[in-house]
Amino acid sequence: MTDTIYMESLVAEPSRSVRQRPPLIDPFQRPITYLRVSVTDRCDFRCVYCMSEHMTFLPKADLLTLEELDRLCSAFIGQGVRKLRLTGGEPLVRRGIMTLFRSLARHLDSGDLEELTLTTNGSQLPKYAAELAALGVKRINISLDTLDPDKFRAITRWGELDKVIAGIDAAQAAGMRVKINAVALKGVNENELAELVRWTHGRDMDLTIIEVMPLGDVGEGRLDQYLPLSMVRARLAEQFTLQDIDYRTGGPARFVKVVETGGRLGFITPLTHNFCESCNRVRLTCTGTLYMCLGQEDAADLRTPLRASSSNDLLDAAIEAAIARKPKGHDFIIDRRHQRPALARHMSVTGG
Ligand code: SAM
């Protein structure tokens, strides 16, 4: 089915409620209310910590159609998911992606969904920001590791800083709240993080700094990239007053207020601090595989029950069975004996 035909069939859907089943609770009594969906494994950048330069991507025929992605997301919403984040790869390079946003926005209108959002590298936002905001996307995460154009090109291999800044401008002009995500990279941006704090806060954006995670073979030793955030925080504390605050976004970041700028700074520390105890999320790939944990191999195939029947009974049962297997947490390690990735799959597959 072409995207155009698909769009016509989707916009005809009324925005009635799909809530029908009891909420999903995992074996550790955590309610699962947050679904992240990688809508494509492809990206217009090749960030050195995320992908190797010559990635092999999935054949397009293996991808779920946009209509199937909509059906899967809607089934999760029917089971109590309240927050939906589209990611990738780069979600905004998936052909026809705005038809999926347009269609999913009906769950905001019905009140079943609290938040529809995305994580993006920002390159396509000049084109899409206004429509995303009009559909009800209020907050957006944009990834940006450096403000130096040459370094930006070196990190992303293919990206241009100007285009991402234009994307950030477009998102803010459209009225969306922007959070910048920066991965801390040893010897690359470690001396720039204070500047990034000043810059983001000066533009009324939050900043979250992320520890590099050992996901997928990227052709470089992880030990070369890894910078513990305990060290980053200690260095920032030499320049800024960092006050612990209770603010949470429903994700794993722990936030501080930077007294000098008045802005918020988050730290995501999968390696130095285990953040699993409050995990409320699962991750769906663009082929319909559900990962119950970013850092574990176990996964559930939802494509087979999705395609087996046009009713959602099999699919709902498969979702429930998967949540019943959600593990307590992950166990990433980077040290000299563990130079290989902890998991073979890249972040672009599971969705960052
Ligand atoms: N293309 C979009 C973007 O750039 O935000 C969405 C997908 S990207 C995989 C999501 C986030 O994961 C980005 O902020 C990226 O920096 C981060 N990321 C990718 N690989 C990572 C890794 N190995 N460790 C930590 N963060 C990673």
Side-chain angles (χ1 to χ4, degrees):
M1 189 186 289
T2 69
D3 290 335
T4 316
I5 295 167
Y6 161 75
M7 175 170 65
E8 284 162 3
S9 68
L10 279 183
V11 290
E13 274 275 317
S15 57
R16 60 174 182 270
S17 175
V18 291
R19 294 290 287 278
Q20 43 184 249
R21 298 173 78 92
L24 297 164
I25 309 279
D26 83 354
F28 305 94
Q29 300 309 310
R30 296 171 296 195
I32 305 306
T33 54
Y34 181 5
L35 177 67
R36 298 170 73 106
V37 184
S38 176
V39 296
T40 174
D41 62 334
R42 290 167 196 255
C43 188
D44 51 342
F45 293 179
R46 290 287 179 279
C47 297
V48 289
Y49 50 80
C50 187
M51 294 187 181
S52 62
E53 188 159 14
H54 304 289
M55 290 286 288
T56 310
F57 292 108
L58 291 163
K60 287 202 171 129
D62 284 5
L63 263 58
L64 296 181
T65 64
L66 296 171
E67 193 166 24
E68 287 173 325
L69 283 169
D70 181 274
R71 211 182 124 202
L72 266 173
C73 292
S74 302
F76 275 95
I77 294 166
Q79 300 212 46
V81 159
R82 304 284 289 155
K83 177 170 173 178
L84 187 59
R85 177 179 300 277
L86 301 196
T87 176
E90 171 48 42
L92 296 181
V93 302
R94 169 96 195 230
R95 204 162 73 87
I97 189 63
M98 292 310 290
T99 65
L100 182 61
F101 273 105
R102 274 177 223 128
S103 159
L104 291 171
R106 74 187 185 281
H107 298 301
L108 291 173
D109 298 340
S110 72
D112 284 342
L113 195 60
E114 246 162 52
E115 183 166 23
L116 175 61
T117 185
L118 67 155
T119 300
T120 173
N121 65 28
S123 67
Q124 309 300 311
L125 281 176
K127 209 166 22 174
Y128 294 130
E131 186 174 1
L132 287 167
L135 288 171
V137 175
K138 294 195 166 57
R139 299 190 304 167
I140 187 165
N141 288 357
I142 303 177
S143 304
L144 176 65
D145 304 323
T146 177
L147 294 169
D148 176 320
D150 295 331
K151 226 184 263 183
F152 185 83
R153 169 52 70 110
I155 293 172
T156 61
R157 292 193 181 105
W158 296 3
E160 281 172 45
L161 180 64
D162 284 357
K163 291 196 177 143
V164 172
I165 302 286
I168 294 171
D169 291 342
Q172 289 195 304
M176 287 187 280
R177 194 82 214 131
V178 176
K179 180 162 78 70
I180 299 294
N181 284 339
V183 177
L185 297 164
K186 188 157 104 186
V188 179
N189 64 358
E190 60 180 311
N191 294 327
E192 261 192 82
L193 294 170
E195 188 194 345
L196 214 47
V197 169
R198 285 192 198 91
W199 183 79
T200 50
H201 291 179
R203 292 190 52 148
D204 192 26
M205 302 185 290
D206 293 342
L207 172 67
T208 296
I209 303 178
I210 307 174
E211 237 165 29
V212 75
M213 290 177 250
L215 299 177
D217 192 347
V218 290
E220 291 185 34
R222 289 285 176 193
L223 200 62
D224 296 339
Q225 301 176 337
Y226 177 55
L227 181 62
L229 289 200
S230 47
M231 199 181 280
V232 170
R233 185 176 168 146
R235 282 198 210 141
L236 290 175
E238 290 168 9
Q239 298 194 39
F240 300 109
T241 317
L242 308 180
Q243 272 178 359
D244 285 316
I245 51 173
D246 271 346
Y247 176 76
R248 299 301 290 266
T249 56
R254 300 284 185 276
F255 283 88
V256 296
K257 181 177 169 189
V258 179
V259 173
E260 289 76 5
T261 61
R264 272 191 301 249
L265 171 64
F267 296 97
I268 299 188
T269 55
L271 285 114
T272 54
H273 170 87
N274 197 302
F275 56 31
C276 306
E277 66 279 358
S278 58
C279 183
N280 58 353
R281 67 194 54 194
V282 286
R283 298 164 192 265
L284 184 68
T285 72
C286 54
T287 55
T289 300
L290 186 74
Y291 286 98
M292 286 71 83
C293 173
L294 176 64
Q296 302 276 5
E297 295 284 9
D298 188 29
D301 166 31
L302 298 184
R303 182 169 61 180
T304 304
L306 176 81
R307 290 188 173 167
S309 146
S310 59
S311 113
N312 275 4
D313 293 347
L314 291 174
L315 179 59
D316 283 333
I319 292 172
E320 279 161 24
I323 300 302
R325 302 207 307 266
K326 184 169 161 67
K328 193 166 183 195
H330 65 249
D331 185 25
F332 293 136
I333 303 170
I334 301 182
D335 67 20
R336 293 194 185 280
R337 282 173 301 127
H338 295 83
Q339 278 279 5
R340 295 182 59 73
L343 286 175
R345 66 180 192 271
H346 291 86
M347 190 78 139
S348 52
V349 172
T350 330

